[in-house]
Amino acid sequence: MDPNYLRNIRVLVVEDDEDDWLLTKKIFSRIPDSPYIVDWSKTYDDALERIGRNEYDVYLIDYRLGENTGTDILEQVHPERFRQPFILMTGVSDSDLEWRSLRLAAADYLVKGSFDATLLSRTIMYALQRKHMEQQRIDQLVELNRAKEDFISIASHQLRTPATGVKQYLGMVVEGFVGKVPDAQLGLLKQAYQSNERQLRIISDLLKVAQVDSGKMRLHTSVVDIDKLLREVIDEQKSTVEERMQKIHFKRRDSDHPTLSFDRDAIRMVLENIIDNASKYSPEGSEIQISITSDVDTISIDVTDQGVGINEVDLPRLFEKFVRFDNPLSTKVGGSGLGLYWAKRIVDLHGGRIDYRPNEPSGSCFSVVLPKRLPEKSELIYTTNGEE
Ligand code: ADP
C-alpha cells in the first residue's frame, strides 16, 4: 500500500503560457489512478505567494516566467529549506541550466515535450520519496541532539550538588574550622580546592549551554549603565589579574553616558568571560585595554590584550562548542571551550554580535557590539521595568 505522503498529492504548476499549462494538465490526466490534485499559477508573484502559504506537496516550475525565471524562484525560496520538492521544467535541454538548478537545490529537472505521464509521475514520486527520507533523517538527528542535550543537562545537575559539597567541606578544612592543618597538607588541600573550583566552572558552563541550546533561555532586560557594569566586572577580576601581574586600563571614548537595555546578568557573564580570556591567554606583566565606543545604533565594548592571539586558520571555529586551540597557555589555564559559544549565543539573542580582530603586534581584540534598540519584541525577551 502507498504511504500517506504518496496519496492526494497537491501539485502547483507554475507556468506563464496557458497552452503549455493545458498540455501539462493533459499529461497529468493520463496518469492511471492519478493521486495528483493539480493547480495552476501563472505569474512569478502569485507563485511566490502560494509557495509562502505552504498548501502544496510539490512544485513544478517552468523556467520562463515573463520577466522572471524559475531559477529566480529557486533563489528566492531556497528549496533546501522546504519539505516539498521543487522540480524545474524547461523548453529546451540546457546543461548549464540543469547544473544551475541542481546547485539551487531543485529536486529534478524536466524538459518539456520529452516527458510523458509515466515519466512525470515517476519523477514526482521519487522526488517526494527523497524529501521524505531526508526529513526522517533530520527528525532523527533533531531527536538525537535533544537526547544529548538532555543528557548533558541532567548529568551536570547531578554533578553540581556533590561537587558543591566538596567545595564547602574543603573550604572549612582549609579555613581551619576543624583545627590547624599542617602547612604541607594545606598546600595540597588548596590545590584540591582550586581543582574543584575549575570542575564547578565547567559544570556551570555545561548547564548554561544546555539552557541556551534547549531554547528555554529568556532574556530579562532592564536599563543598565554599561559603564558601571564594566567597572564592577573589572573590580571582580582584579585579584586574578593582579596575581598574573597584569594591568587593566578602562576608558570610555565618548562623553555620553551609555545606558541601554539588555539582560544584565547574561551580558555581565559575557563580559566576564571575554575579560577573563584576555587575562588567561596573556603572559604575566601584560596589559589589557577595555574601552566603550558608541555610534548611532550600537555600543561596542572592546577588550584588547597583548596575549598569544589566535591563528587565522582557527578563526572560523572560534565560536564553536567545545573548541579550544593549542597555544602556549591553553594547558596551563584550562577551560571548557564553551565560554565563547555561550557568549555569542547570548549576544545574538540581543540582536548584537561579537567581532574578533588580531591586536598589533600581538594579542587579540574582542568587541561585544550591542544594539541601542533591542530587536522587535520577541517571546525570548521579557522587559523588567527596574532601572539600576
Ligand atoms: P575556554 O574555556 O577554553 O577559555 P572559550 O570558549 O572562552 O573557552 O574560548 C575558546 C578558545 O578560544 C580558547 O580555548 C582559546 O584557545 C581561544 N581564545 C579565547 N579568547 C582568547 C584570547 N583573548 N586570546 C587568545 N585565545 C583566546
Side-chain angles (χ1 to χ4, degrees):
M1 211 166 82
D2 293 343
N4 275 338
Y5 67 93
L6 296 182
R7 280 190 238 139
N8 299 326
I9 300 163
R10 293 157 304 173
V11 183
L12 183 68
V13 177
V14 183
E15 170 69 79
D16 70 345
D17 183 314
E18 186 161 6
D19 291 341
D20 279 358
W21 149 244
L22 290 174
L23 202 70
T24 308
K25 196 171 156 196
K26 202 163 170 188
I27 300 176
F28 268 108
S29 71
R30 290 191 190 128
I31 298 170
D33 301 325
S34 171
Y36 303 106
I37 305 151
V38 189
D39 238 345
W40 178 35
S41 170
K42 59 178 167 184
T43 66
Y44 171 83
D45 290 332
D46 176 66
L48 281 183
E49 199 204 311
R50 294 213 215 179
I51 294 168
R53 276 194 257 135
N54 230 338
E55 288 167 358
Y56 295 93
D57 301 304
V58 56
Y59 300 97
L60 215 58
I61 301 175
D62 186 29
Y63 178 67
R64 297 240 154 268
L65 291 174
E67 290 182 353
N68 297 93
T69 64
T71 48
D72 290 341
I73 292 196
L74 299 182
E75 259 170 20
Q76 188 73 26
V77 301
H78 294 276
E80 67 278 13
R81 296 183 192 156
F82 277 73
R83 285 167 181 251
Q84 298 83 8
F86 287 71
I87 298 166
L88 198 73
M89 290 189 297
T90 59
V92 281
S93 175
D94 173 342
S95 61
D96 283 348
L97 183 58
E98 199 172 332
W99 277 113
R100 208 157 153 238
S101 80
L102 247 182
R103 273 202 306 276
L104 291 170
D108 215 322
Y109 178 87
L110 287 168
V111 180
K112 285 196 264 184
S114 71
F115 61 86
D116 59 6
T118 313
L119 181 60
L120 176 61
S121 185
R122 189 189 298 145
T123 304
I124 294 178
M125 288 290 174
Y126 274 82
L128 280 169
Q129 166 81 339
R130 279 195 303 274
K131 274 281 179 189
H132 180 73
M133 282 163 47
E134 186 183 301
Q135 193 54 45
Q136 276 184 325
R137 270 200 301 275
I138 293 172
D139 291 346
Q140 277 168 1
L141 285 176
V142 168
E143 179 52 31
L144 206 69
N145 204 31
R146 205 186 51 74
K148 189 196 72 195
E149 280 166 8
D150 283 355
F151 169 77
I152 292 179
S153 167
I154 292 166
S156 325
H157 272 294
Q158 304 290 345
L159 285 171
R160 188 166 57 176
T161 314
T164 311
V166 171
K167 181 181 161 90
Q168 279 163 1
Y169 295 127
L170 276 177
M172 284 159 77
V173 179
V174 169
E175 293 294 324
F177 279 24
V178 283
K180 185 161 168 34
V181 185
D183 281 351
Q185 289 178 22
L186 193 63
L188 290 178
L189 282 171
K190 280 186 177 162
Q191 280 183 27
Y193 188 84
Q194 279 163 12
S195 297
N196 169 255
E197 275 198 319
R198 274 209 299 279
Q199 189 181 18
L200 278 167
R201 261 201 306 276
I202 292 173
I203 294 172
S204 146
D205 282 356
L206 283 169
L207 283 169
K208 279 189 324 201
V209 164
Q211 192 198 22
V212 83
D213 280 352
S214 70
K216 288 184 195 144
M217 178 85 198
R218 297 283 178 272
L219 299 182
H220 295 272
T221 61
S222 60
V223 180
V224 183
D225 178 340
I226 184 86
D227 208 282
K228 201 166 140 198
L229 179 70
L230 259 173
R231 285 182 201 279
E232 270 177 43
V233 176
I234 294 168
D235 258 6
E236 208 177 74
Q237 306 215 344
K238 220 171 170 177
S239 59
T240 327
V241 169
E242 279 173 4
E243 267 171 38
R244 296 185 180 120
M245 288 172 291
Q246 296 165 337
K247 277 207 176 82
I248 296 187
H249 302 282
F250 172 42
K251 67 169 181 276
R252 226 179 50 217
R253 292 220 182 109
D254 318 301
S255 50
D256 66 333
H257 203 60
T259 54
L260 65 165
S261 262
F262 54 79
D263 186 316
R264 190 181 197 282
D265 292 343
I267 293 296
R268 186 195 169 104
M269 283 190 261
V270 168
L271 296 171
E272 274 170 8
N273 182 262
I274 287 177
I275 298 173
D276 184 42
N277 279 350
S279 164
K280 269 187 354 184
Y281 298 109
S282 295
E284 289 190 352
S286 62
E287 300 194 350
I288 298 164
Q289 306 283 344
I290 302 177
S291 59
I292 306 179
T293 47
S294 66
D295 65 18
V296 187
D297 303 315
T298 58
I299 279 189
S300 171
I301 301 125
D302 301 343
V303 179
T304 310
D305 63 54
Q306 301 171 325
V308 294
I310 298 169
N311 288 331
E312 207 180 330
V313 285
D314 292 330
L315 290 179
R317 300 178 60 225
L318 182 57
F319 295 99
E320 281 179 20
K321 226 189 278 189
F322 298 113
V323 165
R324 304 198 70 223
F325 305 120
D326 261 344
N327 66 45
L329 292 168
S330 51
T331 323
K332 186 174 161 216
V333 293
S336 62
L338 290 172
L340 284 181
Y341 170 79
W342 185 83
K344 180 174 165 19
R345 295 290 306 263
I346 293 299
V347 174
D348 282 351
L349 284 178
H350 282 84
R353 58 176 205 277
I354 304 182
D355 293 338
Y356 174 86
R357 64 171 187 279
N359 181 37
E360 293 302 333
S362 73
S364 308
C365 175
F366 282 86
S367 302
V368 177
V369 183
L370 292 169
K372 285 188 173 165
R373 276 169 57 101
L374 284 169
E376 284 297 289
K377 215 165 166 37
S378 79
E379 59 184 30
L380 288 174
I381 299 178
Y382 287 91
T383 305
T384 45
N385 290 325
E387 294 207 9
E388 275 199 312

